[in-house]
Amino acid sequence: MLSAAQLDVIKQTVPVLQENGEVLTRHFYQRMFLENPEVLAFFNPAHQHAGTQQRALAGAICAYAQNIENPAALASAVELIAQKHASLGIRAEHYPIVGQNLLASIQEVLGEAATPAIIDAWAAAYGVLADIFINREQQIYDDQQASFGWSGFKRFVVEKREMASDNIVSFYLAPEDGQPLPAHQPGQYITLRLTPPGSDPVMRNYSLSNRPGASRYRISVKREPALEAGAPAGLCSGFLHDQVKEGDVVELAPPCGEFTLGAKPNAEKPLVLIAGGVGITPILSMLYAALEQQSGRQVVFIQCALNGAVRPFADELATLKEDYANLKSHVRLSEPQDADRRKGGYDSEGLLDNALLDQLIGKQQAEFYLCGPTPMLRHVWQLLKARGVDEADIHFEFFGPAGDLAA
């Protein structure tokens, strides 16, 4: 519990955090990785290089300071982070490492401005926040053990691999011990732990792309090239594409994630699922669940892709369209190739826009689930807000550290 004086100090630091947050978090990560290299496995170097991890942490710290007297306002953000932490196996013993490096970074970045009162207040504030995460994450671990029969990592066999598009490979994974898989929640992800040649073990989250309740998990992995000179290519995606074959054994942690299809659907509102690129993976799992469990509800599925070569699951989606009368689907390619125009197989060209939404759902109130690249998410979110869609009806997931769609 923070004292009144500590609360006042935290609130007074908000302007400093707004101005220096990213400087602080960059210093924090550099310091922590140097002082405590054992935590490196929990972080994706591509996110560090791009600065998205640092920006996300700076935003989270600032939001915590702004809501220091009303932490309930951060419940959704806490849940997102707690699920991510649990997916990676972060435990109570890791929190002192973060706390020590964060407080030292505040002292080192702010210098004499970091008075004893500021350090004391932030030490107390961090302790309160750490307890919130530790308690929630332990609940997640307990729920995993009860629901799936394990927590931590378990050995799975790659039973099958197949191309979903020119740049996406699907892997079908079955427990090595032969135990049945309880159904995951549509939209959840698993964590894969791998050891590429010449590398320490690394962990990556991959959404489950198949029907909940299937006998195997399916992940569908896009090869991630370096986005710019000097940036790392996707270490895990390259290893999976090039070296992991049928019969190999990998390690999986149980499903996690808060971006899941609502358990209490409003059948009067159409369900609109919008997927961009490899962001289709959690959306496809939701689509299966919605069609099987919400037969009385209109389901609209919009798939956005660059072109037909990198559009995943074309045959699978065509089958679903034939099998379910309540499914209305639309494929939009932003940069179709000549081969696409000759063969067809898509419905329209360009970016998703109001005209397409008017065509598919008209003026009906609807519930939306979105997943895709950040520019696409930001574009669609702003479209929906301009259409007057309530924020409570817009659900989305970032791949990587969470960002701000309103920017």
Side-chain angles (χ1 to χ4, degrees):
M1 191 74 178
L2 276 72
S3 69
Q6 289 169 331
L7 288 171
D8 286 341
V9 169
I10 296 295
K11 287 185 286 187
Q12 290 166 14
T13 62
V14 169
V16 177
L17 292 172
Q18 290 172 330
E19 182 177 352
N20 300 290
E22 286 189 45
V23 175
L24 172 63
T25 54
R26 282 196 299 271
H27 185 280
F28 160 73
Y29 280 118
Q30 291 170 357
R31 188 185 201 285
M32 184 170 65
F33 294 156
L34 181 64
E35 297 291 330
N36 300 94
E38 66 273 21
V39 304
L40 274 167
F42 296 119
F43 297 89
N44 186 327
H47 298 155
Q48 291 288 322
H49 186 277
T52 52
Q53 190 82 58
Q54 296 91 327
R55 286 192 292 275
L57 178 58
I61 292 173
C62 192
Y64 180 48
Q66 290 172 316
N67 292 277
I68 193 67
E69 292 183 291
N70 182 28
L74 302 174
S76 60
V78 167
E79 183 63 15
L80 184 153
I81 296 170
Q83 291 283 342
K84 186 69 69 175
H85 284 181
S87 78
L88 299 170
I90 290 174
R91 299 282 180 170
E93 58 265 29
H94 296 117
Y95 281 88
I97 294 173
V98 174
Q100 290 162 11
N101 285 286
L102 180 61
L103 293 174
S105 295
I106 292 173
Q107 184 76 67
E108 291 161 6
V109 169
L110 298 184
E112 293 182 358
T115 63
I118 287 176
I119 298 300
D120 172 73
W122 271 103
Y126 177 78
V128 170
L129 187 61
D131 286 343
I132 291 172
F133 280 115
I134 290 168
N135 292 333
R136 176 60 188 131
E137 287 154 20
Q138 187 58 53
Q139 291 176 345
I140 295 171
Y141 293 131
D142 292 344
D143 290 345
Q144 288 176 336
Q145 189 67 50
S147 299
F148 298 104
W150 92 96
S151 64
F153 287 89
K154 178 175 175 174
R155 288 164 61 90
F156 276 66
V157 178
V158 180
E159 285 198 346
K160 179 183 177 182
R161 57 173 285 164
E162 64 182 6
M163 297 301 297
S165 72
D166 283 4
N167 64 344
I168 296 174
V169 177
S170 289
F171 298 86
Y172 293 79
L173 309 170
E176 187 182 47
D177 61 13
Q179 293 297 308
L181 285 177
H184 65 276
Q185 295 183 56
Q188 285 187 307
Y189 53 82
I190 53 87
T191 304
L192 204 61
R193 185 165 66 184
L194 302 165
T195 307
S199 169
D200 293 327
V202 292
M203 296 177 285
R204 295 291 185 269
N205 298 135
Y206 293 107
S207 297
L208 293 164
S209 61
N210 58 339
R211 178 181 62 82
S215 61
R216 302 169 291 181
Y217 287 148
R218 181 177 72 178
I219 59 172
S220 303
V221 181
K222 176 189 173 187
R223 183 189 291 276
E224 296 291 351
L227 297 180
E228 58 185 40
L235 176 65
C236 281
S237 69
F239 179 65
L240 286 164
H241 273 247
D242 296 335
Q243 299 191 44
V244 174
K245 58 187 183 300
E246 293 176 2
D248 284 352
V249 173
V250 296
E251 293 181 302
L252 263 67
C256 275
E258 86 300 338
F259 178 64
T260 56
L261 194 62
K264 296 181 179 180
N266 182 347
E268 296 180 358
K269 286 185 177 181
L271 173 65
V272 183
L273 305 173
I274 303 176
V278 75
I280 191 176
T281 50
I283 297 294
L284 183 55
S285 187
M286 291 180 181
L287 178 61
Y288 273 108
L291 293 174
E292 293 182 2
Q293 301 167 14
Q294 304 179 20
S295 58
R297 190 179 194 186
Q298 180 186 356
V299 178
V300 177
F301 173 77
I302 304 172
Q303 183 179 17
C304 302
L306 190 67
N307 56 58
V310 295
R311 178 201 163 200
F313 307 114
D315 293 341
E316 197 168 324
L317 291 162
T319 299
L320 288 175
K321 187 175 181 179
E322 291 179 1
D323 290 347
Y324 290 92
N326 62 323
L327 171 61
K328 181 189 297 185
S329 69
H330 190 99
V331 177
R332 173 159 284 196
L333 302 182
S334 58
E335 297 181 19
Q337 300 173 331
D338 290 341
D340 297 318
R341 295 189 176 98
R342 288 195 302 269
K343 293 187 299 183
Y346 67 101
D347 300 297
S348 63
E349 300 181 10
L351 300 178
L352 192 148
D353 55 20
N354 267 318
L356 180 59
L357 294 175
D358 285 340
Q359 173 189 331
L360 296 175
I361 60 175
K363 301 302 180 184
Q364 298 178 88
Q365 291 187 340
E367 185 177 17
F368 295 83
Y369 286 79
L370 327 171
C371 190
T374 300
M376 174 255 188
L377 288 181
R378 183 172 291 118
H379 170 71
V380 177
W381 188 86
Q382 291 174 351
L383 269 181
L384 297 179
K385 288 297 296 177
R387 292 172 67 88
V389 179
D390 193 310
E391 284 192 25
D393 285 329
I394 307 174
H395 314 275
F396 57 88
E397 181 172 61
F398 285 92
F399 280 175
D404 183 3
L405 296 187

